[in-house]
Amino acid sequence: MNPEPFLQLDRVIHEKGRLAIMSLLAATPELSFTELRDTLGMTDGNVTSHIRTLQEAGYVVVAKSYPNRRPLTTCALTAAGRKAFADYITLLEQIVQQTRKP
Amino acid sequence: MSEHWAAENLRVIRTLMERSALYRRALAPVMTFAGAIGIIAALVGVFLRVESEPKFISYWCGVALVGLAGAFVLVRRQALKSAEAFWSPPTRRVATALLPCLTAGLLVGIWFLVICAQSPTADPPTGMAEDRGLMIVLSSIWAVFYGCALHAAGFFTSRGLRWLAWIFIIGGFGLLFWVTVAHQQDHPDARWQTGHWFMGLWFGCLQLAYGIYLYFTEKRETAP
């Protein structure tokens, strides 16, 4: 089996929690911090830590606003994040196809 | 690392992406409110003797507006409470899915209103079965359109909503068939109140029952 796809997997996205966050964000233009936390059943600290890592990698952008005088934190994928996620999926598909070959 | 691992990861990603697109506001309060409004409106309609077709159509369009406004307030309150955006992408998807069928229902109401204006009936009614049949036909058509709207929205919410939608569609068509075909020969005693009772049944009892059902099941379904 060709080990190339395994080696190319993005380590930032590959972590379970961050992959979940990327997956949720990939399906929608933006999500609030609480939606991410509640959907994934993570703690505030966990989500914050993962978001920070993704932000540092340039995959996620965080915006803060105050609609109706309440703080609202929203997260969205950047163009680089979308590309990295798409590449990650492509690699996973390659791995599945490779192992299915007789 | 194996095929199983990669395939499992892909499956999890797919599930999460689907979940992300789902509308997560609690529907129980909205459905219970809509159901209560439907039942109260039916009782008030009978009590106030909303007898003629034009009044019936205008009255129930007004009730629908009140119901929509109330649902809007409830959903917005939920969003504010959980510090989330109200007009989020899933909310937009649900609204977009609901809109065509609800608009069609409104247009049918307006069409019936024009028909009534062209051939006015006695107000108060004379008691002829034909006069009141139109109300029942319209309530059935509205039920069918509402069912279609719920079914479309059901693709972005819990699956139970599509079951409720089918009850509306089948019930509405069943009544439509009964009124226009099966009982046409018998000249049924279709009194003006019957239209209100059917509206109360469709938009009151059914939605209230579904709202109560959701109160007991929704939290369990949406728990992570």
Side-chain angles (χ1 to χ4, degrees):
Chain A
M1 187 197 294
N2 177 14
E4 193 65 20
F6 293 112
L7 302 172
Q8 285 177 357
L9 282 173
D10 189 330
R11 295 288 133 191
V12 177
I13 303 179
H14 192 56
E15 197 281 330
K16 199 177 149 195
R18 289 195 286 274
L19 178 60
I21 291 173
M22 291 290 284
S23 305
L24 287 178
L25 292 177
T28 184
E30 61 176 29
L31 272 180
S32 70
F33 181 87
T34 46
E35 278 174 315
L36 278 173
R37 182 197 63 197
D38 295 346
T39 310
L40 298 173
M42 286 182 179
T43 62
D44 281 5
N46 246 333
V47 178
T48 308
S49 154
H50 287 316
I51 290 286
R52 194 179 300 135
T53 309
L54 291 168
Q55 233 182 328
E56 283 164 4
Y59 292 167
V60 165
V61 63
V62 177
K64 291 192 183 200
S65 58
Y66 293 86
N68 304 297
R69 293 178 190 171
R70 282 166 181 256
L72 175 67
T73 307
T74 50
C75 306
L77 283 190
T78 61
R82 281 200 186 276
K83 188 183 176 303
F85 185 70
D87 290 346
Y88 183 85
I89 300 283
T90 309
L91 285 171
L92 281 188
E93 283 167 348
Q94 275 178 18
I95 293 166
V96 173
Q97 278 170 7
Q98 252 186 36
T99 47
R100 274 184 189 161
K101 276 179 193 165
Chain B
M1 289 197 192
S2 64
E3 178 206 346
H4 176 73
W5 160 83
E8 179 63 18
N9 256 20
L10 281 171
R11 195 189 60 76
V12 170
I13 290 167
R14 186 179 172 171
T15 308
L16 283 169
M17 288 180 79
E18 281 172 358
R19 200 188 292 180
S20 176
L22 281 185
Y23 182 73
R24 280 183 300 277
R25 298 270 92 82
L27 287 176
V30 176
M31 282 294 170
T32 310
F33 169 77
I37 286 282
I39 290 173
I40 292 167
L43 293 172
V44 170
V46 172
F47 180 74
L48 294 178
R49 301 186 70 82
V50 181
E51 297 180 19
S52 69
E53 282 97 347
K55 281 184 186 171
F56 176 86
I57 295 166
S58 313
Y59 174 75
W60 279 101
C61 283
V63 171
L65 264 181
V66 172
L68 277 175
F72 177 87
V73 170
L74 283 171
V75 169
R76 191 171 176 275
R77 208 174 64 173
Q78 279 186 47
L80 284 175
K81 214 171 159 184
S82 40
E84 291 171 5
F86 162 67
W87 198 238
S88 61
T91 312
R92 274 202 292 272
R93 274 184 214 115
V94 169
T96 312
L98 286 171
L99 201 61
C101 290
L102 291 186
T103 308
L106 176 69
L107 292 177
V108 167
I110 294 170
W111 175 43
F112 272 54
L113 210 55
V114 172
I115 291 173
C116 294
Q118 283 175 345
S119 53
T121 52
D123 183 20
T126 55
M128 288 176 71
E130 290 79 14
D131 293 348
R132 314 282 70 87
L134 198 67
M135 287 182 178
I136 302 172
V137 167
L138 185 58
S139 80
S140 312
I141 293 174
W142 275 342
V144 171
F145 275 122
Y146 189 65
C148 292
L150 288 184
H151 195 274
F155 285 101
F156 308 106
T157 58
S158 59
R159 281 184 194 174
L161 198 64
R162 275 182 272 168
W163 284 106
L164 178 72
W166 276 114
I167 295 173
F168 269 99
I169 294 168
I170 292 168
F173 261 116
L175 181 64
L176 203 57
F177 181 80
W178 181 76
V179 169
T180 57
V181 181
H183 261 247
Q184 202 180 27
Q185 304 298 320
D186 307 337
H187 293 288
D189 186 19
R191 300 190 305 160
W192 63 270
Q193 294 98 323
T194 317
H196 290 290
W197 294 140
F198 276 118
M199 289 299 283
L201 174 74
W202 301 134
F203 299 98
C205 298
L206 267 180
Q207 295 198 102
L208 187 65
Y210 186 60
I212 292 167
Y213 165 76
L214 284 178
Y215 262 117
F216 292 104
T217 57
E218 203 165 43
K219 278 223 184 320
R220 241 190 347 240
E221 272 181 13
T222 54

